[in-house]
Amino acid sequence: QAYMRAIVQFFNWCDDRNLELDDITPFAVAAYVEEIQKDFSAPSVKQHLAAIRMYFDYLVVGQVLPMNPAASVRGPRHVVKRGKTSVLTSAQARQLLDAIDTTSIIGLRDRALIGVMVYSFARVSATVGMKVGDYYPNGKRWWLRLHEKGGKRHEVPAHHNAEAYLDAYIKAGGFEDDKKGPLFRTIGRDRRLTDTRMHRADVLRMIYRRAQGAGLEVHVCCHTFRATGITAYLENGGTIEKAQQIAAHESPRTTKLYDRTNDELT
């Protein structure tokens, strides 16, 4: 969606200057990048440029254009060696999970959802996009099938805690046979599960509410649990290469942004 907004903004800019698709040159793209630097930070400008490059690559592959006018354009220099996402300690993560009231289906759902994000390093969109059939047995273990961005399908074994949370939630919900239905569902006015899939905005509101209820003073967002899981895994002797594989990162450099093991002073 961020790429879509960037593409729309770029073509609106082109429309204002009466540029047709065939008239867009590297100079035009460079001028656009230079202009938006007045209003956006360096990471946002680089994201805009990446979206434009990807879109023109698509047009070149589809033989709409002979070349990508954004291929030779360079964005502002920006190097990140440490991510800004807030991370919970293992004790804080346990405090959050234990504070959830699991006497209701809502509590069981919220605990299972947070558990999947923590223990599988899953993005929130991949988590809410899961179907009931995406939690499945393989041999003696249960596995999670995550549909990541870019159409990638990523499979990861379920941690025993996440497995226990999911089993309790699915049993209480009574939808274990609805393999094609959404795994994480919204709650209706009658306080029962519906057949509607949760949206990531619903998850964010739930996380804010649960973090406040647990008395956590750390700012928590959906991505916090991805960073928390990776950091806890590395603290317990896991390797960057294995964490990269579980998180489905293309590069270990991306995984290292989530590594906060050096934050502790001993």
Side-chain angles (χ1 to χ4, degrees):
Q1 290 185 351
Y3 275 30
M4 182 195 71
R5 288 193 295 269
I7 290 295
V8 169
Q9 180 173 323
F10 172 68
F11 281 113
N12 286 337
W13 182 88
C14 293
D15 282 343
D16 292 341
R17 287 152 184 81
N18 298 318
L19 291 175
E20 297 293 335
L21 193 60
D22 294 335
D23 299 328
I24 299 176
T25 62
F27 179 80
V29 177
Y32 172 74
V33 170
E34 187 72 23
E35 186 169 318
I36 64 173
Q37 290 186 51
K38 302 174 184 175
D39 302 316
F40 295 102
S41 64
S44 297
V45 174
K46 291 177 74 70
Q47 184 187 64
H48 275 245
L49 183 55
I52 295 168
R53 279 187 189 140
M54 184 175 290
Y55 186 74
F56 278 116
D57 277 340
Y58 170 76
L59 295 181
V60 171
V61 171
Q63 299 183 4
V64 177
L65 292 175
M67 59 164 286
N68 185 340
S72 60
V73 179
R74 295 290 174 264
R77 182 172 176 79
H78 179 70
V79 179
V80 177
K81 294 187 177 180
R82 184 180 185 276
K84 295 182 179 179
T85 306
S86 55
V87 175
L88 300 178
T89 64
S90 297
Q92 288 173 325
R94 173 54 52 196
Q95 177 183 341
L96 175 61
L97 289 168
D98 289 346
I100 298 176
D101 179 12
T102 54
T103 58
S104 68
I105 188 64
I106 301 175
L108 290 171
R109 180 203 65 184
D110 294 351
R111 185 182 65 170
L113 198 156
I114 293 174
V116 168
M117 289 196 291
V118 169
Y119 290 115
S120 67
F121 314 164
R123 297 178 177 90
V124 62
S125 296
T127 304
V128 296
M130 290 179 67
K131 299 177 182 178
V132 177
D134 289 328
Y135 173 58
Y136 64 95
N138 185 2
K140 295 184 178 181
R141 300 201 61 172
W142 284 76
W143 287 64
L144 304 172
R145 184 184 298 112
L146 303 169
H147 300 269
E148 298 284 1
K149 59 183 182 180
K152 299 174 185 176
R153 192 174 70 175
H154 177 54
E155 297 175 341
V156 61
H159 188 278
H160 60 273
N161 283 344
E163 186 178 324
Y165 297 159
L166 283 167
D167 288 344
Y169 163 58
I170 293 172
K171 182 178 180 180
F175 52 78
E176 53 264 46
D177 295 329
D178 185 15
K179 299 299 183 183
K180 294 186 177 180
L183 178 58
F184 296 107
R185 310 175 179 213
T186 58
I187 301 295
R189 293 183 178 180
D190 57 356
R191 312 301 288 174
R192 295 182 180 179
L193 292 176
T194 69
D195 293 330
T196 304
R197 185 184 308 279
M198 289 183 73
H199 189 270
R200 62 176 182 267
D202 301 327
V203 179
L204 183 60
R205 287 192 292 268
M206 178 272 288
I207 288 171
Y208 285 159
R209 187 174 67 252
R210 293 299 183 185
Q212 185 176 12
L216 293 179
E217 297 181 359
V218 182
H219 174 70
V220 180
C221 65
C222 297
H223 223 56
T224 294
F225 302 109
R226 184 169 171 85
T228 298
I230 292 174
T231 300
Y233 176 76
L234 295 173
E235 284 177 344
N236 286 283
T239 64
I240 282 287
E241 292 75 19
K242 201 66 178 179
Q244 174 193 353
Q245 180 184 340
I246 299 172
H249 283 145
E250 291 290 338
S251 168
R253 291 176 58 189
T254 307
T255 311
K256 288 178 182 178
L257 295 177
Y258 294 88
D259 180 9
R260 307 297 171 77
T261 55
N262 292 328
D263 286 3
E264 288 292 326
L265 294 178
T266 61

